[in-house]
Amino acid sequence: MNKILVTGGCGYIGSHTIVDLIQSGFDVISIDNNSRSNVDILNGIEAITGKKVTNYSIDLCNYEDTKNVFRENRDIVGIIHFAAYKAVGESVSNPLMYFENNLGSLINILKCAEEFNVSNFVFSSSCTVYGNPDEIPVTETSPQKPGESPYGITKQMGEQIILETIKTNNIQSILLRYFNPVGAHPSILIGEIPFGKPANLVPAITQTAIGKLPSMLVHGSDYPTRDGSCLRDYIHICDIAHAHTLALNYLIERKNKVNPEIFNLGTGDGYTVLEVIAAFEKVSGTKLNYTLGPRRPGDVIAIYANNDKAKTELGWIPQYNLENMMDTAWQWELKLKNTAI
Ligand code: WQD
């Protein structure tokens, strides 16, 4: 009785979390319609864990199809809900698609959790809920400024939907607010497979370095930071993944003091865009072709986490540093170049 449903299980964070869950003794199934992910990633999960993971390739916005998964798996004890669109820029140009997909899928999965008595629910949230913070580092009780994009607003609304829903049923929930997940599993058998031209910094760096992109722009060099470029809290994907396993066990053992419990998942260190580029160049031994460009609308100037709560409550200690993040990201990009994925 330890089956976990991971939605978005073929995605970047979902696939790395499935590996950690299996290695921690859980049995895992996935729901992923592969609209923004590659089902081949399941081969990498099997290569690492020896386990073949069943993925139900259905749309979570289809309630009947989603319910059928629960009808076929009456032994699900927990849900980790990742499935969502996450491209900030795309959400600005297509807000209704983001609200329909991200909120519709969340509502359906919550309805199923209620109907099929699955009482442990971990939600993939984001530091984007803080908007442009007045004070950094941010804690879980830092005020939430207005969302900077429809993507960010779906995360804020998602948290509110969960907050109100769990008042009426026996679902216990944890909201995990990721900062900037980067890097790849050290086996280099799974990693991030960006959908189209990467909007995020690290895949933009690695694709430029390997020649997939001719060059990259640094979005803004006149910010009030130590070198003028934006500051973020980059966190290795495997540290993020392990936090989900710890959070699930914390819920199953009913250690949560409030419902929902909220945790920041960041290293507690902030790095600027130019510092990340310098770290990448040092690790990869390559010179990156980039130019300083204008600011990107919707960008937060600077944010990084106070992660004390996750450390003390979950016993979560990030294991990877910035060089590890750059090294695994680069090794994965080299792997992608030599394989069909
Ligand atoms: C980081 C910095 C860019 C690309 C978003 C979501 C967040 C999370 C991670 C899901 C910014 C700069 C980037 C480039 C650049 N999503 N940059 N040149 O915007 O902090 O966060 O992705 O979990 O919820 O909001 O991440 O990697 O897009 O940007 O200069 O080619 O890198 O301007 O300052 P972001 P990012």
Side-chain angles (χ1 to χ4, degrees):
M1 275 297 281
N2 66 349
K3 182 180 279 184
I4 304 300
L5 166 62
V6 172
T7 73
C10 296
Y12 178 40
I13 308 177
S15 56
H16 286 78
T17 299
I18 288 178
V19 166
D20 199 274
L21 287 168
I22 290 171
Q23 292 179 333
S24 303
F26 285 104
D27 178 24
V28 183
I29 58 171
S30 165
I31 291 179
D32 194 318
N33 66 1
N34 301 125
S35 64
R36 299 290 172 92
S37 62
N38 188 315
V39 72
D40 292 346
I41 212 80
L42 297 177
N43 301 330
I45 293 173
E46 184 176 1
I48 298 169
T49 65
K51 294 281 175 92
K52 189 181 283 296
V53 172
T54 300
N55 178 60
Y56 293 85
S57 185
I58 58 110
D59 185 349
L60 284 164
C61 290
N62 182 312
Y63 184 45
E64 279 309 310
D65 287 351
T66 306
K67 272 210 301 192
N68 285 335
V69 176
F70 285 82
R71 288 189 183 107
E72 286 179 37
N73 296 275
R74 299 278 176 168
D75 53 348
I76 295 170
V77 296
I79 297 166
I80 304 182
H81 180 54
F82 291 106
Y85 294 154
K86 66 140 201 163
V88 173
E90 181 187 48
S91 77
V92 172
S93 50
N94 205 331
L96 282 178
M97 181 176 83
Y98 269 68
F99 291 121
E100 182 178 47
N101 181 69
N102 290 9
L103 301 180
S105 53
L106 171 63
I107 289 165
N108 280 346
I109 204 76
L110 282 171
K111 284 164 67 175
C112 287
E114 207 169 81
E115 186 170 339
F116 292 88
N117 297 312
V118 181
S119 62
N120 302 295
F121 189 88
V122 177
F123 177 63
S124 164
S125 191
S126 167
C127 62
T128 201
V129 303
Y130 297 111
N132 232 326
D134 295 328
E135 285 182 29
I136 50 176
V138 290
T139 68
E140 288 81 358
T141 55
S142 291
Q144 290 194 18
K145 310 294 281 304
E148 295 284 331
S149 68
Y151 161 77
I153 293 168
T154 67
K155 290 301 181 183
Q156 290 176 327
M157 291 172 78
E159 291 194 357
Q160 289 305 310
I161 289 168
I162 292 166
L163 199 68
E164 293 306 319
T165 303
I166 61 181
K167 289 176 184 170
T168 66
N169 56 35
N170 67 355
I171 294 175
Q172 298 292 309
S173 183
I174 285 181
L175 313 178
L176 295 178
R177 292 175 180 166
Y178 316 141
F179 282 71
N180 288 58
V182 297
H185 190 272
S187 67
I188 313 300
L189 289 167
I190 57 173
E192 184 173 14
I193 304 175
F195 180 79
K197 185 171 185 291
N200 292 141
L201 177 62
V202 173
I205 288 174
T206 57
Q207 288 196 14
T208 301
I210 206 157
K212 264 186 193 171
L213 296 173
S215 67
M216 68 166 276
L217 269 182
V218 171
H219 297 314
S221 56
D222 60 349
Y223 285 104
T225 63
R226 45 184 181 258
D227 62 17
S229 61
C230 288
L231 185 130
R232 295 287 185 278
D233 186 332
Y234 298 93
I235 173 85
H236 195 281
I237 188 67
C238 290
D239 283 324
I240 290 276
H242 189 56
H244 288 78
T245 302
L246 294 172
L248 208 50
N249 281 318
Y250 185 84
L251 273 184
I252 290 168
E253 293 157 21
R254 289 291 179 269
K255 288 183 176 172
N256 53 310
K257 300 179 181 64
V258 292
N259 191 23
E261 281 282 14
I262 300 173
F263 295 98
N264 281 342
L265 297 184
T267 61
D269 294 318
Y271 290 100
T272 67
V273 173
L274 292 173
E275 287 167 347
V276 172
I277 290 173
F280 174 80
E281 290 181 326
K282 180 181 172 198
V283 162
S284 64
T286 63
K287 191 88 184 78
L288 194 71
N289 180 16
Y290 69 90
T291 48
L292 302 180
R295 296 183 175 190
R296 181 174 73 174
D299 263 344
V300 160
I301 299 167
I303 187 167
Y304 66 98
N306 174 315
N307 62 8
D308 292 344
K309 187 181 174 189
K311 284 183 173 176
T312 51
E313 293 290 321
L314 297 180
W316 179 69
I317 307 292
Q319 300 296 308
Y320 297 83
N321 62 27
L322 186 65
E323 289 202 6
N324 303 141
M325 297 177 212
M326 294 303 106
D327 182 44
T328 52
W330 179 230
Q331 294 308 319
W332 173 248
E333 189 66 64
L334 291 171
K335 171 80 178 288
L336 284 178
K337 183 175 183 181
N338 304 322
T339 51
I341 292 181

